[in-house]
Amino acid sequence: MGKRTQVAIIGSGPAGLLLGQLLHRAGIDTIIVERRSRDYILGRIRAGVLEQGTVALIDEAGCGERLHREGLIHTGIDLAFAGERHRIDFANLTGGKGVTIYGQTEVTRDLMDARLAADAPTIYEAERVWPADFDCSKPVLHYLHEGTERRIACDFIAGCDGFHGVSRASVSEDKITVFERAYPFGWLGLLADVPPVSDELVYVNHERGFALCSMRSRTRSRYYLQCHASERPEDWPDETFWAELRRRLDEATAARLTTGAAIEKSVAPLRSFVAEPMRFGRLLLAGDAAHIVPPTGAKGLNLAASDVHYLSQALIDHYRTGSEKGLETYSARALARVWKAERFSWWMTSLLHRFPDTGPFGRRMQLAELDYLVGSRAAMTALAENYVGLPY
Ligand code: APR
Ligand code: PHB
């Protein structure tokens, strides 16, 4: 005897949790099936730059209270190159827009707490999760839990299970087209309880490689160094990390750097990836299950949010009015925004990282583009309106 729900959601990350919360508030039943434990998920360190649309959606989900209390509003970033820092003034260039700095782990925690309070079910540590029969109107989500095979009969399955999930993998290859670019480097990230080196984020183009100075709060900093994709955190003792970061920073910024013991250190590969379409009958993909961006533009979480904005609307319309229009246009609407964020993330990555194979000419092209960018209101406006988030 199995369970029954209206929308079965695979994955308890930001996409699955935000979708679950928005549907719950519209009176639609969901069950989330997640392969990891709650603690494992909350142990993940991920970027925390929220576009205003993402903040609005978290508010719509009724989960914005701590975000507004603890989040930091930033109205610009610095680009650093050739020993100089240049501020991109988002507020001035976009009619007052900015971004909110609030760790993705905190977003996930707030959404998990809301789901618990709503008494909406999440099945953690599920194994062998498998979506089936989504080509007809009665899909079934199969999974193993505590050694017992279980099934959930549902109307729709939302594949919110990330890049390595099962949803995309369960679609026959002839029905899906993927577009991919792997970058020849990774990001070595370090988290430390030290005050940030600057009030806003600093993106550095340096001949030794890219660096990023970010933060989680006024007392917790997040730094990244471009490294070879094959490097491992253990190759970088804290002191080695700090010394390399200092080399890539301009003198004044390096002098202000407060160092301390790493509480987390990891290497992440950089990849651009899009799967088309995002709907397969009654299976709909959202978030990293459908697309991946290099973290340079801080778009990963924000694209998961815009997918969920379109998908939740489509499902609510279906249940409220019987209209299929939102479901029929979901993939095209979501992908239109995904591709613009893919372009922006690829562009920021191409502009700021060291690409050995493009040689001295390629390096000069980067420096010329950066020099042009910081001297042109039009060019800075283009960066600013993409960074704060294009309209849904
Ligand atoms: N069955 C059930 N759950 C699964 C499976 C599976 N086969 N495979 C993966 N999952 C779970 C993962 O454990 C994870 O909790 O799906 C969830 C996917 O969450 P994310 O990877 O965070 O993806 P998403 O919710 O789309 O959020 C995208 O997260 O990874 C970052 O940079 C990314 O900021 C972006 C955001
Ligand atoms: C982060 O704080 O982890 C972060 C910020 C901005 C990015 C990427 C990561 O572009």
Side-chain angles (χ1 to χ4, degrees):
M1 178 58 187
K3 300 179 191 289
R4 171 108 190 63
T5 192
Q6 289 172 298
V7 181
I9 299 172
I10 309 179
S12 178
L17 287 163
L18 191 51
L19 179 64
Q21 190 59 15
L22 290 167
L23 294 181
H24 171 77
R25 288 170 71 90
I28 296 168
D29 291 333
T30 62
I31 296 179
I32 294 183
V33 179
E34 163 61 51
R35 77 172 166 189
R36 301 288 189 187
S37 68
R38 173 187 159 98
D39 289 346
Y40 183 96
I41 294 166
L42 291 174
R44 290 181 183 136
I45 305 290
R46 295 276 166 71
V49 176
L50 307 186
E51 296 172 356
Q52 277 175 262
T54 302
V55 172
L57 209 55
I58 293 170
D59 281 336
E60 191 186 321
C63 299
E65 193 266 330
R66 192 161 70 103
L67 161 58
H68 290 288
R69 196 172 68 243
E70 298 178 10
L72 305 174
I73 306 286
H74 283 194
T75 57
I77 58 171
D78 277 11
L79 296 184
F81 61 96
E84 301 278 326
R85 278 172 55 172
H86 305 264
R87 186 163 187 267
I88 309 295
D89 184 345
F90 294 154
N92 178 272
L93 294 161
T94 64
K97 291 184 181 170
V99 291
T100 301
I101 303 295
Y102 186 70
Q104 177 176 311
T105 309
E106 305 321 311
V107 173
T108 306
R109 190 191 314 279
D110 294 342
L111 288 166
M112 280 179 170
D113 291 350
R115 187 166 181 86
L116 213 54
D119 202 20
T122 298
I123 295 152
Y124 290 107
E125 299 180 285
E127 299 167 80
R128 298 216 313 254
V129 180
W130 185 257
D133 306 325
F134 47 82
D135 290 338
C136 71
S137 62
K138 295 188 180 309
V140 178
L141 186 57
H142 298 276
Y143 64 98
L144 188 71
H145 194 238
E146 292 163 355
T148 307
E149 287 286 342
R150 301 181 191 266
R151 63 197 306 275
I152 300 171
C154 50
D155 302 330
F156 296 95
I157 298 175
C160 302
D161 47 349
F163 184 67
H164 301 288
V166 68
S167 303
R168 196 177 70 247
S170 65
V171 176
S172 57
E173 284 189 9
D174 61 317
K175 291 207 172 63
I176 198 165
T177 308
V178 298
F179 304 83
E180 187 162 14
R181 162 144 318 167
Y183 296 89
F185 40 72
W187 277 19
L188 167 66
L190 179 145
L191 192 67
D193 279 330
V194 293
V197 73
S198 181
D199 291 343
E200 295 174 329
L201 273 55
V202 185
Y203 287 80
V204 185
N205 173 303
H206 190 278
E207 60 262 12
R208 294 178 66 87
F210 168 82
L212 171 59
C213 305
S214 184
M215 63 194 76
R216 289 293 176 272
S217 69
R218 291 195 180 83
T219 59
R220 176 166 285 194
S221 299
R222 180 77 170 155
Y223 291 103
Y224 294 99
L225 293 175
Q226 173 183 349
C227 65
H228 294 293
S230 59
E231 293 191 56
R232 301 161 308 152
E234 47 270 32
D235 300 336
W236 289 80
D238 292 5
E239 269 324 300
T240 308
F241 183 98
W242 294 121
E244 183 59 32
L245 176 60
R246 279 201 187 87
R247 283 189 203 98
R248 299 186 190 185
L249 293 174
D250 60 278
E251 262 181 59
T253 307
R256 294 167 46 85
L257 184 63
T258 307
T259 65
I263 48 180
E264 190 268 355
K265 218 184 295 179
S266 51
V267 175
L270 268 67
R271 178 197 330 257
S272 297
F273 176 91
V274 180
E276 289 187 354
M278 289 173 58
R279 178 190 183 197
F280 307 90
R282 293 285 180 127
L283 170 67
L284 301 108
L285 305 183
D288 274 15
H291 42 73
I292 294 285
V293 283
T296 328
K299 290 299 166 199
L301 176 56
N302 294 298
L303 279 180
S306 49
D307 288 351
V308 165
H309 165 74
Y310 300 128
L311 182 52
S312 58
Q313 266 188 347
L315 290 165
I316 291 165
D317 286 354
H318 165 83
Y319 282 109
R320 280 210 179 128
T321 69
S323 161
E324 296 303 294
K325 187 166 182 305
L327 290 168
E328 284 157 7
T329 58
Y330 166 65
S331 182
R333 284 178 81 197
L335 283 169
R337 194 171 191 278
V338 164
W339 276 113
K340 293 186 187 76
E342 289 281 350
R343 181 210 64 83
F344 175 66
S345 304
W346 161 83
W347 173 75
M348 280 275 276
T349 302
S350 306
L351 182 65
L352 294 169
H353 288 75
R354 183 172 175 277
F355 289 79
D357 58 352
T358 56
F361 181 79
R363 174 108 189 100
R364 286 303 176 106
M365 285 298 98
Q366 280 186 335
L367 293 174
E369 180 159 5
L370 283 161
D371 200 24
Y372 160 68
L373 173 60
V374 298
S376 157
R377 183 176 178 83
M380 287 189 285
T381 301
L383 190 162
E385 64 185 12
N386 279 279
Y387 197 98
V388 300
L390 297 178
Y392 282 8

